[in-house]
Amino acid sequence: MSATSTPPAGGPPVNRVGLTRADYDGSKTTLCPGCGHNAITGGIIQAAWEAGLEPHRVAKLSGIGCSSKTPAYFLGHSHGFNAVHGRMPSIATGVAVANRGLTLIGVSGDGDTASIGIGQFAHLVRRNVPVVYIVENNGVYGLTKGQFSATADIGSTRKSGEANRLMPIDLCALAIELGCGFVARSFSGDQKQLRPLLQAAFSHPGTAILDVISPCVTFADHEGSSKSYAAVKEHDAPLHDIEFVPYFEDITVDYEPGTTREVGMPDGSHLLLKKLGADYDPTDARAAITVLHDTRQEGKFVTGLIYVNPAVEPFTEELGLVEAPLVSLAQSDLRPSKSVLDGIMNAYLEGSAASAGGGG
C-alpha cells in the first residue's frame, strides 16, 4: 500500500487517510523571512502528510519563544496548547495521560528547553512520556534581541562581536544520559534528512528528541556564529543517509549488503540507515555519546539518528493505564465508589496506607 492514494480526477494528491497536503497547513507565519523555524514547519507539514497522521488526532504543545509560536503554522485542524515558559513538558505529560490516543508534537526552543525548562525537560525524558519533542535550536534568544542561550558554543559571537565563554549544553547527549529511546539531530536546511527523522519520531512509542539546528537570520546568521547557515553547512557531519518506510508502504529500497542497517519500529514500520562511512550502530548508547563528544571536539555538528531503543517502556505503559483513553471514560468509570474511598481513608487512619513523597 502506498503512502498516497490515487487523487480524484483533476484534484490534488491525497494521502492514505484521504487528505491533501493543504489539509496540514496552518496560519501564515509571522517569523522573519528565511528563519530556519519556517523550514522546520514545512518539514513537519510534509512529514505528517506523508505519514498519514490524522490532524484531529494530534495535539501540538509549546512554551514561549519564536519556536513556540510555530505550532500555529502547521496542522491547523489539530488540538493545541501554548504553555508558560519552559513548562510545556508537564502539560504534555498531562495530555498523554488523559488521552493516549493522540500523537503529541511538542515544539520548543533552546532557551525554553535548555534554560528555564531544563528541569521539566529532564523529567519528561526520564519518564519517557510519548511526545515528539522538537527543539528549534539557534543558540540565541531571538525574541529578546539575540543574547546567548545555553546551547551557544564556546567562542561563537553575538552580532555585536562579544564571544561566548560558557560551556554549551548538548541536549542530545543529555537525553541519552537520561535514558531517552530516540535521539536525533538535524539541520533545518536539510529537508531530505529532516523529514524521515520526523516520520520515524511519529512512530516511536516514547519520548523522541529531535534537536534541529535552526539559524536565526536576524541575530545569529553572521561570521562568528557557530549556528549560522554557512557555519552549519560547512561543519555538518551526517552519520548516514536515511529513508523511512511506513508500515503501510511496500519496502522498495535497494539494499547494499553490509552497508545498510534496518531498525524496526513498534508499529511495524522500518527505519533504513544507509552507511556511507564508518559502521555506526545507533542502538549503542555508549557509541552515541562518544560520537557526540568527538564531533564536538572537531567543531562539527553530527546529524542523523544518533540513538534509538524502541523497547524502552513509555510512561503510559509504566503507569498501567487502561487501553481506552481516560478522556473517553464515563464518570462512573473514573470515580471510585464510596466503599473504595472509605477503605483508603481507613488505611490512612490505621497508618497502613502508602505515604506520598514530600519535598526536601
Side-chain angles (χ1 to χ4, degrees), residues 156-222:
S156 63
T157 64
R158 295 177 57 175
K159 200 171 182 180
S160 62
E162 176 189 356
N164 178 44
R165 302 180 186 279
L166 299 178
M167 281 292 295
I169 293 175
D170 188 322
L171 292 170
C172 289
L174 178 59
I176 294 170
E177 290 285 1
L178 291 168
C180 187
F182 186 105
V183 180
R185 176 172 286 147
S186 192
F187 171 43
S188 63
D190 187 354
Q191 293 290 311
K192 183 181 178 183
Q193 181 190 68
L194 178 59
R195 285 201 296 267
L197 287 175
L198 284 165
Q199 291 175 346
F202 295 152
S203 297
H204 185 72
T207 305
I209 299 298
L210 187 48
D211 181 34
V212 187
I213 306 301
S214 175
C216 172
V217 293
T218 302
F219 296 109
D221 197 25
H222 56 85

Side-chain angles (χ1 to χ4, degrees), residues 5-56:
S5 301
T6 303
V14 295
N15 62 8
R16 67 185 180 94
V17 295
L19 298 176
T20 68
R21 187 184 182 282
D23 292 320
Y24 291 79
D25 287 341
S27 304
K28 185 178 180 181
T29 179
T30 59
L31 298 176
C32 303
C35 176
H37 298 358
N38 289 329
I40 297 172
T41 292
I44 294 172
I45 291 172
Q46 185 70 23
W49 179 66
E50 292 176 354
L53 295 186
E54 296 179 275
H56 71 284

